[in-house]
Amino acid sequence: MKANGAEIVIKTLISHGVTDIFGYPGGCVLNIYDEIYKAGESLNHILTCHEQGASHVADGYARATGKTGVVIATSGPGATNLVTGIASAYLDSTPLVAITGNVDSKLIGKDSFQEVDIAGITMPVTKHNYIVKDVNELEETLCEAFRIARSGRKGPVLIDIPKDVQAASCEFHGGLPLPLYDNPVPDDTEIEKITELVKSSERPFIYVGGGVVSAEAEEILAEFAELIDAPAGFSMMGLSAMDYKNPRKLGMTGMHGVYAASVVQSEADLIIGVGVRFSDRATGNIGKYTENAKVIHIDIDRAEIGKNVAPDLSAVGEIKETLTRIVAKLKAENFKQTLTSWNERVTELVTKQQKLFDGSNRNPGDFTPRKIIKAVREYTEDNTPVATDVGQHQMWTAMNYDFGAPRTFITSGGLGTMGFGLGAAMGAAVGTGKRAVLITGDGGFHMNMNELATAVTYKIPVVIVIINNGVLGLVRQWQRQFYGERFSNTTLHRKTDYVKLADAFGAVGFLVKNEAELRNALDKAFEVNDGPVVIDCHIDMDEKVLPMIPPGGSIHDLIIK
Amino acid sequence: MKNNENFTMSVVLKNKFGTLMRVTSLFSKRGYNINTLHVAPLVENNEYSRIILTSNGDQNIKEQILRQLEKLVDVREAKII
Ligand SMILES: Cc1ncc(C[n+]2csc(CCOP(=O)(O)OP(=O)(O)O)c2C)c(N)n1
Ligand SMILES: [Mg+2]
């Protein structure tokens, strides 16, 4: 069958099972948008307010569903507006295909109107990217892009298509998906060494990362933890990989990790990192981090082994398969461990944490972030996607929200992108067909709140909870802690009326100043099924995220007050 | 840097537009040095090129460079020579 480039793009997307795409039109993608028009019902396109928004919507969609997100933008500013979104997806290993138009291939290199070298710009933040200069290569390139985005450690791929290539025709073969590339497979001796080390450990600790969520390995992870009788701590990306009802789940570790998880980790004699990259935010001082413990590192990306932490043993492979083999090996040996004194110590620390951080030292009337998050949780279901922006509200969510199902925590971990949340929550809602919740800050919400208009237009149900402290709270907290309380440019002094703002966008808004008002607003918000609701929660500007391990520090430097 | 040594690397990669930049950009992104660099098409197959480059660092950096290079889609082989 003959087809032109734009038809090839859209038909290949459809052949890949893509049902929803996000983007913004312009001169250099007119041909593609014409094909979107012709595709009619078979492809749902959501027009955002800004290409950055579209990139976060596609990313949130991918995180919540496990599918590949697709975003389209025009050349020049359209393409550059995608960069933050692509980089956010790259740092958190989200499968994303970004399609940009470019000027005619004969105009490339001449600083033509709206020409940028988007392939050059995105090279360090994509798994791979392409400029397609010949329509005969377009179909294969698109299929290869999907294959690369999904194979091994997932990530974004960008395809830049000059306008004349979209218009040119060639033979089209249906654009069918290619099989994914094979993953590395650890050999039996590696698995055996790992099981031996695990068996010899008296104080094992499993450290779970986003790789477990991505591999959908939560069940085998829980089985593994059970078998070896180990507690589990989590990177922010890994938090939804275990149900909060599982008593082994201690919560997040690292700079803003919860107390018990951080202390337990520091007392372990073996850290089993699964689908993690031992980032600086998670480990603090690397030397101290591994001072008392051996390390096993299991990951799909060979380059992660030894990058930040030199492990004693490692296995490079698909995580679900690798864990399944380890569990099978242990079971074949009838291994079942009970580590009484270690788990008693864990329980002791969890109890201590509850005493220190359950808020009982606060006045009963204080409207604390913890209360807000606990109240929201009473309204959500286990599988409700919860997105955040970046800042204190993100850490409060990570520490206090009880995640009950995988893929429910949608947050920018690696890049820490303020402005990520609203788009990502919308993408999660579109992808899952469920109401999503966004917990955001007054700073981050102001970055991309224009997308409220998109949520209204497309009737996307998102409950937006703004934890409004009037400040760039997390930065201010650092200024207090490390810069002698010189609060340079972190007090917002804004007069934004979020109730009027919501109204102006065609949404509903509430202002709440205490828990009773919040519950009232939540009652109403969770009744709305056809659009966003904004709840502006006024809290004190001096609420802190605690505990905290300062950058480069260790458990000995833990700040509790 | 402890155990800093000079080493020479051979990288075989697709002879395509932009691939040299992918390699050099990876070095700058990760903070590795390139001391010298030479690139030429393979005599036996001009669809591929070989880069011979010299760099320096400890054993860990050497390993990391190889692992990161192997992740580039257009790289067929990367090794220390
Ligand atoms: C795009 C972007 N710019 C700057 C930062 C640095 N930063 C991290 S947290 C933060 C404060 C966020 O303030 P707000 O959204 O009000 O959240 P809060 O910490 O008050 O909960 C800033 C400025 C960032 N992460 N992302
Ligand atoms: Mg704030």
Side-chain angles (χ1 to χ4, degrees), chain A residues 373-525:
Chain A
I373 285 152
K374 294 289 180 197
V376 169
R377 184 64 180 97
E378 289 174 32
Y379 288 78
T380 55
E381 288 162 23
D382 277 356
N383 58 13
T384 302
V386 178
T388 69
D389 274 292
V390 173
Q392 291 183 311
H393 64 276
Q394 177 190 33
M395 298 304 146
W396 288 321
T397 309
M399 295 169 123
N400 294 302
Y401 189 91
D402 291 325
F403 293 97
R407 299 195 176 283
T408 51
F409 192 29
I410 317 286
T411 195
S412 173
L415 197 66
T417 307
M418 286 172 74
F420 169 85
L422 180 54
M426 287 160 54
V430 171
T432 59
K434 293 192 187 80
R435 181 199 321 281
V437 168
L438 167 65
I439 297 178
T440 181
D442 43 341
F445 187 64
H446 269 92
M447 284 208 174
N448 281 330
M449 64 184 175
N450 48 0
E451 299 304 342
L452 201 51
T454 312
V456 169
T457 305
Y458 292 91
K459 301 185 166 44
I460 302 171
V462 183
V463 174
I464 300 162
V465 178
I466 304 170
I467 301 197
N468 183 353
N469 48 9
V471 290
L472 301 175
L474 198 58
V475 179
R476 182 181 149 94
Q477 183 172 336
W478 283 51
Q479 289 172 335
R480 175 189 299 284
Q481 200 77 42
F482 309 115
Y483 291 85
E485 305 199 3
R486 292 182 297 280
F487 297 129
S488 173
N489 288 280
T490 48
T491 313
L492 291 169
H493 302 297
R494 288 186 181 145
K495 299 272 181 290
T496 311
D497 180 331
Y498 293 94
V499 177
K500 280 193 195 148
L501 177 104
D503 189 45
F505 275 96
V508 188
F510 301 95
L511 164 63
V512 303
K513 294 187 173 168
N514 57 47
E515 203 179 336
E517 287 174 8
L518 172 64
R519 283 172 188 279
N520 249 327
L522 287 169
D523 281 341
K524 292 182 190 126

Side-chain angles (χ1 to χ4, degrees), chain A residues 155-227:
Chain A
V157 179
L158 177 133
I159 310 164
D160 194 30
I161 314 172
K163 193 169 174 177
D164 54 327
V165 176
Q166 298 170 31
S169 293
C170 70
E171 196 56 32
F172 176 60
H173 313 89
L176 293 172
L178 298 167
L180 299 187
Y181 288 109
D182 289 338
N183 288 314
V185 179
D187 58 41
D188 286 337
T189 53
E190 285 173 298
I191 299 285
E192 182 160 346
K193 278 195 217 149
I194 288 176
T195 53
E196 287 309 310
L197 184 54
V198 167
K199 285 195 295 191
S200 70
S201 160
E202 288 168 9
R203 298 185 309 279
F205 176 82
I206 308 174
Y207 172 42
V208 181
V212 175
V213 178
S214 177
E216 305 190 338
E218 60 282 349
E219 278 173 27
I220 192 73
L221 172 78
E223 196 177 338
F224 176 58
E226 191 65 34
L227 206 58

Side-chain angles (χ1 to χ4, degrees), chain A residues 57-69:
Chain A
V57 180
D59 185 337
Y61 181 94
R63 291 182 200 229
T65 61
K67 296 180 194 166
T68 303

Side-chain angles (χ1 to χ4, degrees), chain A residues 62-221:
Chain A
R63 291 182 200 229
T65 61
K67 296 180 194 166
T68 303
V70 178
V71 59
I72 300 187
T74 193
S75 66
T80 54
N81 276 347
L82 294 179
V83 174
T84 302
I86 292 172
S88 307
Y90 183 70
L91 267 290
D92 289 340
S93 310
T94 313
L96 201 72
V97 170
I99 297 169
T100 49
N102 209 334
V103 299
D104 274 4
S105 40
K106 62 179 184 305
L107 291 177
I108 286 182
K110 303 198 185 305
D111 297 325
S112 312
F113 177 63
Q114 294 195 328
E115 180 197 349
V116 293
D117 174 17
I118 194 63
I121 290 172
T122 57
M123 216 169 256
V125 292
T126 49
K127 271 186 89 173
H128 195 55
N129 61 20
Y130 299 93
I131 305 173
V132 185
K133 291 195 171 161
D134 176 353
V135 72
N136 290 294
E137 289 172 7
L138 183 57
E139 178 179 357
E140 193 192 329
T141 304
L142 286 157
C143 296
E144 193 61 28
F146 273 91
R147 175 195 237 181
I148 292 170
R150 297 203 69 81
S151 290
R153 178 174 181 176
K154 300 174 178 74
V157 179
L158 177 133
I159 310 164
D160 194 30
I161 314 172
K163 193 169 174 177
D164 54 327
V165 176
Q166 298 170 31
S169 293
C170 70
E171 196 56 32
F172 176 60
H173 313 89
L176 293 172
L178 298 167
L180 299 187
Y181 288 109
D182 289 338
N183 288 314
V185 179
D187 58 41
D188 286 337
T189 53
E190 285 173 298
I191 299 285
E192 182 160 346
K193 278 195 217 149
I194 288 176
T195 53
E196 287 309 310
L197 184 54
V198 167
K199 285 195 295 191
S200 70
S201 160
E202 288 168 9
R203 298 185 309 279
F205 176 82
I206 308 174
Y207 172 42
V208 181
V212 175
V213 178
S214 177
E216 305 190 338
E218 60 282 349
E219 278 173 27
I220 192 73
L221 172 78

Side-chain angles (χ1 to χ4, degrees), chain B residues 1 7 14 21 32 34 37 40-41 48 53 57 65 67 74:
Chain B
M1 204 182 308
F7 49 84
K14 281 204 188 122
M21 179 169 162
Y32 310 138
I34 297 181
L37 184 140
Y48 286 88
L53 61 82
I65 297 178
R67 298 291 94 86
D74 288 335

